Amino acid sequence: MTITRDPIYAMGTSEGERQRLVEQAVIYAATTRHLFAQAGIGPGMRVLDVGCGVGDVSLLAASIVGPTGAVVGVDTDVEALAVAQARADGAGLEHLQFVQGDLRDATFEAPFDAVVGRFVLMYLADPADAVRQVRRHVPPGGIVAFQEFQFEGLMRSFPDVPGSLY
């Protein structure tokens, strides 16, 4: 069976769901920060956060790259992007912006040093194709780092990494 459409996001797009995402981000912030550090994301870099939702990963990336860097978050949900932009504005993060679009076909004027995402690939019909599509936004040697759940089997990654971060 070939899936040609993305599955429906069962959690929906309500205000309650957006708040749940903000609260969930607190739980995953440390592991996401660790992933980004291990991937080589640092001050002054340009980072694209795909499937950014309410902006938690974008805000985290903006804190890592600092004001000499730049972060762009992209998502299809206009209401979530409004929340994300308000959070960035409230934090005074002028080096963080959000744009509406599908991560697979969004276009940008300049390349990025890194493309990141958290809990986004599992909601796409063809995650491997999505990674191929977003990979075009980084030059050779650029960083592509996703944090995802795996609901079955043993933990696996390529390249191998320890099963525990702490």
Side-chain angles (χ1 to χ4, degrees), residues 47-113:
V47 176
L48 174 62
D49 175 18
V50 297
C52 68
V54 295
D56 293 293
V57 172
S58 301
L59 290 161
L60 177 62
S63 75
I64 294 169
V65 303
T68 61
V71 176
V72 175
V74 62
D75 201 284
T76 58
D77 185 346
V78 175
E79 292 173 355
L81 291 171
V83 171
Q85 190 64 61
R87 295 173 75 200
D89 293 345
L93 298 173
E94 295 179 9
H95 61 292
L96 173 54
Q97 70 177 54
F98 296 95
V99 296
Q100 194 272 333
D102 187 298
L103 63 94
R104 292 161 287 202
D105 57 22
T107 59
F108 303 95
E109 292 183 16
F112 293 87
D113 300 303

Side-chain angles (χ1 to χ4, degrees), residues 13 80 117 126:
T13 59
D126 189 341

Side-chain angles (χ1 to χ4, degrees), residues 25-45:
V26 174
I27 297 167
Y28 295 106
T31 56
T32 305
R33 184 176 292 277
H34 181 78
L35 170 67
F36 290 175
Q38 292 296 303
I41 297 172
M45 295 180 87

